[in-house]
Amino acid sequence: MPVLFERDRDLGLLIDRVTGLADHAEGGVVIIEAPPGVGKTQLLATAIELAQARSVRVLTAHGVELEHELAFGGVRQLCAPTLARLDPVAVRDVLRGPAAGAGPILGISDVPVPAGAEPLFALTAMVSNLAARGPVAIAVDDLQWLDEASARFLAYLARRLDGLPVLIVSATRPLDPPLPELATAWPPGTVFIRPEPLSANGVGRLLETVLGTPIGDDVVTACGRVTGGNPFLVTEIGRELAALPATGRAERVEEIAPAAVGAAVL
């Protein structure tokens, strides 16, 4: 499980929702929203590990900026690997009834498709059939880059989770402006997790983890000042500091920060 500092409250919310799904078949939506580098992906990865440890079926997708125009690309990431692991009888069961309309979207051509099948309704029916076989967690990273058709499906599904053991957990940068499909998508009861920047104590603990040695308060202060407590930036600067002598590190932080951060971003 990833090392996370000062995220006890955030982890507690994730544990509560995953436990509710695994033990009580309680579905819902969790949105992890924060700027780049604050730890959204680590929190999402932790949620996935928690779900898998409780024998919850996990469907994963990752929004990719270059694939934004690929209709239902995110849906294929979520569903195709899971269906590929099922035997043919189970696949037919998951795609039975209205869910048969999801077949063409997922590249499955040997399931008869009802006339006039509506994609979002069909995909929702497929998830419902899958959830009938056990709780399902849908984990989406970089939601802000998900293709519009897949984002529309998540919005549609999120409003239809009553009674379904399905938990949607998504990590996203703040959407400004929001995707039209997601502007009013999330239902009442949605849990929003917004990780905060690290405190000075958190910056120091993370630096010591990266460097493997105790670190002076002057270095912690300088690093906190130039990074704003962003864990990703603290980590990158820590890696640069590791190659420098222990003395004089504080004075070098502002010098190495642009190069370290720029290289990491590239």
Side-chain angles (χ1 to χ4, degrees):
M1 189 174 290
V3 177
L4 297 169
F5 295 102
E6 300 184 337
R7 297 291 181 254
D8 290 349
R9 177 184 176 276
D10 302 333
L11 289 171
L13 290 171
L14 288 173
I15 291 169
D16 285 347
R17 297 317 302 256
V18 172
T19 300
L21 175 66
D23 291 352
H24 308 293
E26 295 173 353
V29 180
V30 178
I31 305 299
I32 306 168
E33 183 181 69
V38 179
K40 302 183 298 297
T41 296
Q42 286 186 314
L43 285 169
L44 184 66
T46 300
I48 291 171
E49 290 186 24
L50 290 169
Q52 291 173 333
R54 301 300 301 274
S55 299
V56 171
R57 189 189 305 274
V58 181
L59 315 183
T60 62
H62 192 152
V64 180
E65 191 171 13
L66 293 177
E67 297 178 4
H68 184 70
E69 302 300 323
L70 182 61
F72 289 116
V75 166
R76 294 190 189 97
Q77 284 188 59
L78 286 171
C79 303
T82 294
L83 294 184
R85 288 191 290 268
L86 298 177
D87 63 66
V89 173
V91 171
R92 286 194 294 272
D93 179 63
V94 171
L95 295 178
R96 70 184 185 278
I105 297 171
L106 301 173
I108 299 173
S109 58
D110 58 349
V111 177
V113 178
E118 205 285 323
L120 300 187
F121 181 73
L123 288 167
T124 300
M126 182 200 66
V127 171
S128 178
N129 291 344
L130 195 60
R133 307 173 70 88
V136 173
I138 295 175
V140 180
D141 199 7
D142 281 329
L143 179 66
Q144 75 278 355
W145 287 330
L146 202 65
D147 65 275
E148 293 185 13
S150 297
R152 192 176 298 114
F153 163 64
L154 285 181
Y156 185 91
L157 176 64
R159 290 281 179 174
R160 291 159 177 83
L161 293 180
D162 287 348
L164 283 182
V166 176
L167 178 66
I168 298 173
V169 186
S170 292
T172 182
R173 298 180 185 182
L175 302 176
D176 185 22
L179 291 173
E181 294 78 12
L182 302 179
T184 59
W186 312 127
T190 294
V191 175
F192 287 91
I193 296 176
R194 296 184 172 96
E196 296 290 334
L198 297 176
S199 67
N201 180 59
V203 169
R205 290 170 62 202
L206 180 54
L207 280 175
E208 289 185 358
T209 298
V210 174
L211 292 168
T213 59
I215 197 79
D217 290 342
D218 55 343
V219 178
V220 173
T221 299
C223 192
R225 182 173 61 251
V226 301
T227 65
N230 183 295
F232 171 74
L233 303 184
V234 172
T235 299
E236 294 306 314
I237 289 177
R239 288 171 177 164
E240 293 289 327
L241 290 175
L244 300 177
T247 57
R249 280 175 171 169
E251 293 75 16
R252 297 292 306 277
V253 167
E254 294 200 30
E255 296 176 20
I256 67 174
V261 173
V265 170
L266 288 175

